Each structure stands twice: as structure tokens, then as C-alpha cells.
Amino acid sequence: MPTYATIIDLLQMEGPGLADYVTADELDQLLDGALPHGLIADRYIGDLNGSTFANVATDEDATRADLLTWIGWELEVAAQYRAEDAAEDAAAALRAHAAAQARQERIALNGRDAIIERARENGATKDAIAKALQISRPTLDKWIQDRKDRALFNEVIYALIRRDTSQTDQAMLFEALGIRDTSGQASAFLAGLSTRTLDDLRDGERELLDRAEKRARELA
């Protein structure tokens, strides 16, 4: 059987790794400093003494010292992986929270718009609606204009999606459908508009796109 200069040489060429010698709980304890590294080194040496596939040239004391160094390296790698996993989990949780919050905002926004629209259909004046909602008249006017802009951009963005476009453009445009930020919709619409010719416009679409482009350039 082959003989390696040190246990580190053997492990680098043949393995096994630290995960083969510790449980998940023990790895936690090692990373927390609650479990002595020497206990795990003894497991390696026990396996090495009974091994029939490889040997090392160093004596047991030197081998044990090398093992402690090796275990330290392995723990550094494990700690780095855990930190990366924790960071990714935190980012995923943040993305999920943001998505859920955005959904709730859209629901609230749609409900607010529906209330305003019904009040206007029933003959309520803007001043009366603003007073009932406890907002200023300019704020109400902005809400109404935002609703008109979203409706316009949703329509023209969907018209762009129907045409040949790259997957990247489609993802960008789909993401812009229905979002609250009208300036974001305007930017996405202008970006989508710039990547294609519109020679096959349906009746009325040219006028609609021209109107949307003018409004988008005002907002973007």
C-alpha cells in the first residue's frame, strides 16, 4: 500500500473529509468551540492504524499535530460555507418578504382605487372624496392620475409582450405589469419599446403607444 509523507498529503489525495468523521451536531459543537479537535483527530488516527490502503511516514505525535491543523482548515471551510448559506437564506427571506409586501400593497392599492372609482361613479365630488379619505385634493388628483398611468402602461406593456421579444425583455416587461411604481413601468415600457420595430401594429395601437411613450418620457 502507498506511503504518504504526512497525513495531510494522504487526506488531500485519498480523503476522507471532516464530514465523514463527525455528525451534524458534532460539527456545530466544533464550530462553537464546545468539542475538542483532538477527539476527532483520534478518530482519524484510529482509522489510519487499521487501514490497509495507505500509510504515512510520520510518527503518531506528528501525525496528530498535522491532523489538528487539517481539522482547523476543514472547520474554516465549513464556517465559510455556513456564513454563505446564512447570507443566502437571509437574502431569500428578504426577497420573500418584499414580494409579500408588494402583493399586499397592490391589493390595498386596487381596493383604494376601486373605492375612489365607485364614489366618482356615484357622483361624489373630488373634494368630498378627499375629505372622506382624509387626504388633500392634490394627493387625490395624483392617485387618480397614477391609476390612469398604470392602466395605460399595463395595456401597452402587454401589447409589447405579444410581439417577438427576448426572454430577458419578456421577464422585464412581465415584472412591470401591475406594479405600483408608474415611473418604473414607464422605464420598462421605454426599454421594451426601444428593442423592436412595430410594423405590425393593430388598429388604434399606434395612437395608444404614442400616447404612452409621451407620458412615459414625462415620468421616466
Side-chain angles (χ1 to χ4, degrees):
M1 61 182 172
T3 297
Y4 291 90
T6 69
I7 187 68
I8 293 177
D9 293 330
L10 185 155
L11 292 170
Q12 287 177 335
M13 294 298 297
E14 306 277 357
L18 181 62
D20 296 296
Y21 282 90
V22 298
T23 65
D25 287 342
E26 287 174 334
L27 181 57
D28 289 339
Q29 295 173 42
L30 285 167
L31 291 170
D32 291 340
L35 188 67
H37 296 186
L39 179 64
I40 310 305
D42 291 340
R43 293 181 187 175
Y44 276 89
I45 291 173
D47 265 8
L48 180 65
N49 290 339
S51 171
T52 59
F53 74 91
N55 206 346
V56 295
T58 53
D59 61 28
E60 186 167 314
D61 288 341
T63 297
R64 195 170 191 278
D66 287 341
L67 277 170
L68 292 174
T69 299
W70 172 265
I71 291 168
W73 292 344
E74 290 276 86
L75 289 175
E76 287 179 6
V77 172
Q80 181 179 347
Y81 284 156
R82 290 219 173 167
E84 291 172 355
D85 289 344
E88 178 56 33
D89 289 345
L94 186 60
R95 289 193 296 269
H97 174 74
Q101 188 174 38
R103 284 194 297 271
Q104 291 301 317
E105 287 178 353
R106 283 197 295 271
I107 292 170
L109 187 64
N110 291 336
R112 186 195 73 190
D113 286 345
I115 291 171
I116 293 172
E117 187 64 23
R118 282 198 300 271
R120 296 185 70 191
E121 288 175 354
N122 290 331
T125 65
K126 288 184 178 181
D127 287 337
I129 295 171
K131 184 177 180 180
L133 294 175
Q134 298 182 338
I135 60 173
S136 69
R137 171 64 184 273
T139 297
L140 176 63
D141 288 338
K142 184 179 184 306
W143 286 1
I144 293 172
Q145 184 60 53
D146 283 348
R147 183 173 184 272
K148 292 178 180 177
D149 288 339
R150 285 194 302 276
L152 173 62
F153 291 139
N154 283 340
E155 186 172 359
V156 292
I157 287 170
Y158 186 69
L160 293 182
I161 291 173
R162 290 201 307 265
R163 289 174 167 77
D164 291 340
T165 184
S166 69
Q167 289 186 348
T168 301
D169 281 348
Q170 280 194 343
M172 174 194 67
L173 291 169
F174 270 116
E175 187 175 343
L177 278 175
I179 65 174
R180 179 174 182 172
D181 179 15
T182 50
S183 64
Q185 283 190 309
S187 296
F189 165 65
L190 291 174
L193 192 64
S194 67
T195 62
R196 59 187 54 79
T197 58
L198 301 173
D199 299 329
D200 57 342
L201 291 172
R202 299 177 180 178
D203 291 343
E205 283 189 333
R206 168 54 67 187
E207 180 184 354
L208 181 68
L209 286 170
D210 287 345
R211 181 158 54 91
E213 183 178 5
K214 179 180 178 182
R215 180 58 179 156
R217 296 196 183 282
E218 293 174 351
L219 292 172

